Amino acid sequence: MARLLADLTPLRESPAFKRLWIGNALAAVGGQLTLVAVSLEVYALTGSSLHVGLLGAFALVPLVLTGLYGGSIADAHDRRKVALGSALVLWAATAAIAAQAWLGVDNVWVLYGLVAIHSAAGGINQPVRGAIIPAIVGLKLLPAANSLNMVTFGIAQMVGPLLGGLLVAQVGFGWTYSIDVLTYAAAVWSVYKLPSLPPSGTPAKAGLRSVIEGFRFLGSQPNVRMTFLIDLAAMVLAAPRALLPAIGAVLIGGGELTMGLLLAATAMGAFLAGLFSGPVGRIHRQGVAVFVCVSVWGASIGLFGVVVILAARGPIPADGSAGVCIWPAAACMALAGVADAISSVFRTTILQTATPDHLRGRLQGVFIVVVAGGPRLGEMLSGTVASGLGEGTTLLVGGVACIVVAASLMRWEPGFLRYDARCPRS
């Protein structure tokens, strides 16, 4: 049984990683509260899945710009200082989101603007954090460290959305956002306590030329490139988040709490995948593992769409409580969470292992743009398509399209299926 559980070696051997892991765990829960609350507040102001999907547009553009440039900054300067400065901006943006709720601004454009600022700071903060991990744990412990981060991610997404929906329903948006302001202090503290992490070798000057150099490296490395492309297939074509407010409030019943439960089910899957990640370090055919996981993700989202279609044909309970369809819907989301978590661990490990240290910041910048920007594009796409086809059909078509595109990518680049962690090739 012990061989199945997550490997705690990185926590024992790296005090810096332990502090960062604890800080991220606390901050991630608060971040999920805000993520859910912002979607619910936009839906409360507009009553439109399209407007919820537009949150993705206002987060995507600054994320792309600062994510790419932020990666070049991480390769040119002390990574601790870059992480700390961007974390402080994130903290201030979160406080501003809380302030607008307390002041009763009730303006969707103010929310869009604050989300854009928050996303811009995250575009700098997240790449540098990703580049820091190999430096403080070493390449050998990367799969274990990434799995532990997935446990944190799973807990945050499991507890955060459920609490987010409950808190919004019980105490309102102001208190919900304020909790995030408090918990993010833990993340700032953990970065402050990091040792100095100057760039290795002769650092490249941050700027457009540095960003282009990172893309040139990516263009010449098919296995690293495929980790981005296959994730885009999953996150753009089969992204359910923007549809959940309407699914919870209209099709399944239960409102904010139902949305929180569905997101918590996804997180439960991610948490279980991280908790029982002991065998992850013993899987060497990591390319095959990524393809299988993305295919399972697509199948799970497609089945979720079928459940929603069936729920739409039946009556919602008169008391507004969630109907029986909530349980198969939650099961689909949980399976999707397992698949996404395992895929993320292997994609991150392939990227960090196959990329030299002096380029890690820039490649992590591209990675963050894909990981965070892909779902934003997916939210825009699914919100738009759902306005014409309906939420259930959108999920079903998206899940099938995800599987088809993933299989096509493997046919186009079969070397990814031969990737072996014992002899990594980028």
Side-chain angles (χ1 to χ4, degrees), residues 41-308:
E41 187 172 4
V42 170
Y43 190 74
L45 291 172
T46 66
S48 167
S49 289
L50 177 60
H51 280 84
V52 177
L54 281 176
L55 276 170
F58 284 91
L60 178 62
V61 174
L63 178 72
V64 170
L65 296 176
T66 61
L68 297 176
Y69 189 71
S72 72
I73 294 174
D75 285 340
H77 301 282
D78 187 321
R79 287 170 178 167
R80 173 190 175 273
K81 293 181 179 178
V82 177
L84 183 59
S86 55
L88 289 171
V89 177
L90 279 166
W91 200 8
T94 303
I97 293 174
Q100 67 82 33
W102 284 114
L103 294 173
V105 175
D106 292 338
N107 188 313
V108 70
W109 296 103
V110 171
L111 272 173
Y112 285 157
L114 292 174
V115 166
I117 295 171
H118 191 278
S119 184
I124 297 174
N125 185 261
Q126 295 180 58
V128 70
R129 282 176 177 266
I132 283 171
I133 299 300
I136 60 178
V137 303
L139 295 181
K140 183 179 179 181
L141 293 178
L142 272 178
N146 289 328
S147 296
L148 287 169
N149 284 334
M150 195 52 59
V151 172
T152 299
F153 175 79
I155 292 174
Q157 286 210 323
M158 181 170 53
V159 176
L162 193 59
L163 282 179
L166 182 62
L167 287 170
V168 168
Q170 297 297 321
V171 300
F173 293 109
W175 280 112
T176 305
Y177 294 135
S178 296
I179 293 173
D180 186 19
V181 176
L182 294 175
T183 57
Y184 200 77
V188 175
W189 170 81
S190 67
V191 174
Y192 175 77
K193 294 293 290 183
L194 284 171
S196 177
L197 295 167
S200 62
T202 303
K205 184 178 179 180
L208 180 60
R209 181 176 297 180
S210 175
V211 172
I212 292 174
E213 183 183 353
F215 274 107
R216 284 176 178 164
F217 174 82
L218 180 60
S220 66
Q221 312 300 323
N223 287 329
V224 173
R225 184 172 63 242
M226 188 56 65
T227 63
F228 298 119
L229 294 177
I230 197 167
D231 187 54
L232 281 173
M235 295 298 103
V236 174
L237 298 174
R241 181 180 289 272
L243 308 182
L244 295 183
I247 289 172
V250 179
L251 299 181
I252 294 180
E256 295 92 344
L257 191 56
T258 297
M259 176 182 173
L261 181 60
L262 291 173
L263 288 173
T266 310
M268 172 63 81
F271 169 72
L272 291 176
L275 181 64
F276 295 102
S277 61
V280 164
R282 299 190 290 273
I283 295 176
H284 305 298
R285 298 294 296 277
Q286 295 177 348
V288 173
V290 170
F291 171 64
V292 170
C293 289
V294 170
S295 298
V296 173
W297 165 270
S300 302
I301 298 303
L303 287 173
F304 181 35
V306 172
V307 173
V308 173

Side-chain angles (χ1 to χ4, degrees), residues 317-335:
D319 61 359
S321 62
V324 293
C325 285
I326 187 62
W327 302 116
C332 291
M333 294 293 280
L335 181 59

